[in-house]
Amino acid sequence: MKKTAERAELLKDMIQEAIDDGATTVEEVHQHIASLPFDALEKLGLFEERASNLKEKQRKTIGLVYDTIRKVNQEVGSLISEQFAALEDARTASRNMDDKDEQDD
């Protein structure tokens, strides 16, 4: 049963890493696409200063969204790891109680 828990933990880690990497990749694409209109405005000389400020605000806002996704992923992973540990502790306690009962008999 311990190997099953270790495999589940490993699978959880792999999924968590894939979500984190995926969020980072999607964020990079999102940032690039979102900056295109501002880049065009700057190249045309229209609203240069304003476009730059808006572009930076947008970049930060998008970054916050993806930071939140990664943070939630991390918290969920930690919660699942804690549950695996609690399950293992419960199994150990159960085995110890069973061993004690057998010694008492």
Side-chain angles (χ1 to χ4, degrees):
M1 190 61 91
K2 187 173 182 174
K3 283 188 178 188
T4 302
E6 289 172 355
R7 287 180 182 152
E9 181 77 21
L10 179 60
L11 180 60
K12 186 266 317 170
D13 290 344
M14 290 171 57
I15 292 169
Q16 191 174 358
E17 186 176 337
I19 290 170
D20 191 64
D21 291 347
T24 299
T25 300
V26 171
E27 177 185 12
E28 290 169 359
V29 171
H30 190 167
Q31 291 284 13
H32 177 73
I33 292 170
S35 73
L36 292 175
F38 296 110
D39 292 344
L41 288 173
E42 288 174 338
K43 284 180 184 176
L44 292 172
L46 304 171
F47 311 109
E48 287 179 28
E49 187 176 314
R50 181 131 169 97
S52 181
N53 289 336
L54 290 173
K55 180 179 177 179
E56 182 60 21
K57 285 180 184 181
Q58 179 173 289
R59 188 192 64 75
K60 287 180 180 180
T61 301
I62 292 169
L64 287 172
V65 170
Y66 289 95
D67 287 346
T68 301
I69 291 168
R70 285 186 288 270
K71 180 68 174 168
V72 168
N73 182 45
Q74 180 184 19
E75 293 295 325
V76 169
S78 294
L79 179 64
I80 291 170
S81 291
E82 289 171 10
Q83 294 304 309
F84 285 148
L87 182 60
E88 187 58 36
D89 290 347
R91 284 188 192 132
T92 301
S94 179
R95 272 185 255 136
N96 290 340
M97 291 185 340
D98 289 346
D99 290 347
K100 186 175 182 328
D101 286 346
E102 288 175 10
Q103 291 173 0
D104 290 344
D105 290 339

